[in-house]
Amino acid sequence: MQVRRDVPLADLTTLAVGGPIERLVEVEDAAELVAAVRDADESGRPLLLLGGGSNVVAPDEGWPGDVVAVRSRGIERTGERLVVQAGHDWDDLVAYTVRGGLAGMEALSGIPGSTGATPVQNVGAYGQEVAQTVTAVRVYDRAEKSEYTLTPAECGFAYRDSRLKREPGRFVVLDVTFALHAGELSRPVGYAELARRLGVEIGEQAPLADVRAAVLELRRGKGMVLDPADPDSRSAGSFFTNPIVPAELAVEGCPSWPAGDGHVKLSAAWLVQHAGFGRGTRQGHVGTSSRHSLALTTEPGATAGELLAFADRVVATVQEKFGVTLEREPTHVRP
Ligand SMILES: Cc1cc2nc3c(=O)[nH]c(=O)nc-3n(C[C@H](O)[C@H](O)[C@H](O)COP(=O)(O)OP(=O)(O)OC[C@H]3O[C@@H](n4cnc5c(N)ncnc54)[C@H](O)[C@@H]3O)c2cc1C
């Protein structure tokens, strides 16, 4: 376990904003993670857990307590079942499954961050989400001060949401278990743009490696793969989730998908763009990505305050124009 002082949050987050951390505690395994969390809780220091820092807006004032950076690594394979340490790099895990002939997460290639954060917002892309393969999440519960395993039902997964997100700060993810499908073919492709790129129909399968390559190519084209040379990837990915509204409130012209129970999911990208924030709309050091209106990006010198003010303007304009409330996807962390 390593402790450092006054490291800026900006250095640990993909949006590259956020002030100095009082104590940065880097932990290498699950036991160190639990010990670091218990130590912060017992001493009353505010605690922030950080994996890859790719889904947070960090405060300009910094963090007046402990930031625990989860660096535990390791994949344990038993047949089609994988137990993965929380700090393990997500895309390294996806690459491992594709190499090892295990299907179920190939469409989630190229998503930055740690494995332990994936159940938090039920990470998803290109027709897959982790809720389809997660079978157990081992946690330390800060309220109960105990370690146990959550079943998928107890995780309460929903679209870009889970109980871990709805009860912020309570659960520390230690490891995640996934059940995958042995074979060289992907799970049925569930996303039109990906199916087109692969030359298959929706519902058909394709070689795992081809799916991974196609997803990475599509993502790179939108600045959705972290790359220091690509200013469009200085983001938290999509900044807003696709709003789910009663079908009668669907917006004319806006692409939508059935969301069950008489509801539809609207394209947040369309709403943002048609509210006047097309690709490359800039204000100060922040704005929309030049290749994807849903990703807000920062330039050197940006602050969290500037970014959140821009996001608020987008939300207010979409509300005024279309009567739809956009929800932010990244967490604005505060002590
Ligand atoms: C370029 C880019 C593209 C992206 N594309 C996608 C996408 O396609 N789909 C998608 O769903 N997301 C996407 N994201 C968002 C992000 O990558 C994911 O949400 C990712 O899972 C966050 O992982 P992280 O380790 O960086 O989490 P962090 O940003 O470090 O943390 C996110 C939240 O989880 C909490 N947390 C972190 N680790 C733990 C733990 N071990 N236990 C409990 N809580 C924890 C944090 O406290 C915080 O509240 C993208 C982001 C970027 C920058």
Side-chain angles (χ1 to χ4, degrees):
M1 193 181 310
Q2 203 195 345
V3 180
R4 290 193 280 155
R5 291 187 184 274
D6 294 325
V7 176
L9 273 162
D11 288 358
L12 300 174
T13 56
T14 56
L15 278 163
V17 296
I21 298 165
E22 199 174 301
R23 286 181 88 238
L24 171 64
V25 185
E26 288 170 292
V27 297
E28 303 290 336
D29 59 35
E32 284 190 3
L33 174 53
V34 173
V37 169
R38 278 183 184 273
D39 178 46
D41 285 349
E42 278 159 20
S43 63
R45 292 190 297 272
L47 169 71
L48 169 63
L49 286 172
L50 217 50
S54 63
N55 212 26
V56 290
V57 179
D60 294 322
E61 315 73 82
W63 194 264
D66 290 10
V67 171
V68 173
V70 186
R71 307 279 183 248
S72 49
R73 289 181 58 83
I75 304 170
E76 249 179 68
R77 177 174 179 179
T78 315
E80 297 179 324
R81 183 169 162 275
L82 301 179
V83 180
V84 187
Q85 294 302 306
H88 201 99
D89 179 74
W90 172 256
D91 192 49
D92 182 78
L93 170 63
V94 179
Y96 168 92
T97 63
V98 168
R99 278 196 311 273
L102 289 172
M105 47 176 73
E106 58 284 352
L108 302 176
S109 293
I111 297 179
S114 63
T115 301
T118 60
V120 176
Q121 73 150 356
N122 181 18
V123 156
Y126 294 98
Q128 282 180 353
E129 55 183 22
V130 292
Q132 293 163 337
T133 49
V134 168
T135 56
V137 179
R138 196 160 69 88
V139 294
Y140 171 70
D141 178 342
R142 291 171 69 199
E144 303 286 337
K145 297 186 177 42
S146 65
E147 270 177 55
Y148 54 88
T149 297
L150 294 173
T151 63
E154 287 166 337
C155 288
F157 290 123
Y159 164 65
R160 278 322 78 75
D161 197 23
S162 78
R163 180 172 167 213
L164 307 171
K165 188 168 177 178
R166 291 190 293 274
E167 295 183 41
R170 175 166 175 187
F171 299 106
V172 179
V173 176
L174 305 178
D175 63 47
V176 187
T177 305
F178 300 90
L180 299 164
H181 305 262
E184 292 305 321
L185 290 183
S186 68
R187 300 306 291 155
V189 174
Y191 198 82
E193 189 186 21
L194 177 60
R196 272 198 303 278
R197 181 62 62 110
L198 289 162
V200 300
E201 297 295 321
I202 289 266
E204 287 182 358
Q205 295 167 285
L208 279 177
D210 291 3
V211 175
R212 174 165 170 80
V215 167
L216 287 174
E217 197 185 317
L218 286 168
R219 294 185 70 96
R220 278 201 194 96
K222 298 176 191 171
M224 288 301 234
V225 174
L226 280 189
D227 176 357
D230 180 358
D232 278 332
S233 74
R234 209 173 136 124
S235 77
S238 300
F239 204 87
F240 304 104
T241 52
N242 291 321
I244 296 176
V245 299
E248 61 274 18
L249 298 184
V251 174
E252 212 190 315
C254 178
S256 65
W257 305 270
D261 228 10
H263 284 65
V264 289
K265 193 195 276 179
L266 302 178
S267 162
W270 188 96
L271 293 168
V272 169
Q273 193 182 330
H274 288 80
F277 300 90
R279 296 172 194 166
T281 306
R282 307 300 297 176
Q283 188 185 347
H285 304 90
V286 302
T288 56
S289 151
S290 73
R291 284 176 285 157
H292 192 10
S293 56
L294 207 46
L296 302 191
T297 63
T298 63
E299 292 160 24
T303 62
E306 201 179 2
L307 178 71
L308 292 168
F310 182 79
D312 285 349
R313 197 153 74 81
V314 173
V315 172
T317 314
V318 167
Q319 176 75 52
E320 195 181 290
K321 218 163 163 179
F322 302 112
V324 175
T325 308
L326 288 181
E327 301 288 345
R328 284 189 210 141
E329 188 185 298
T331 312
H332 176 205
V333 291
R334 273 166 290 198

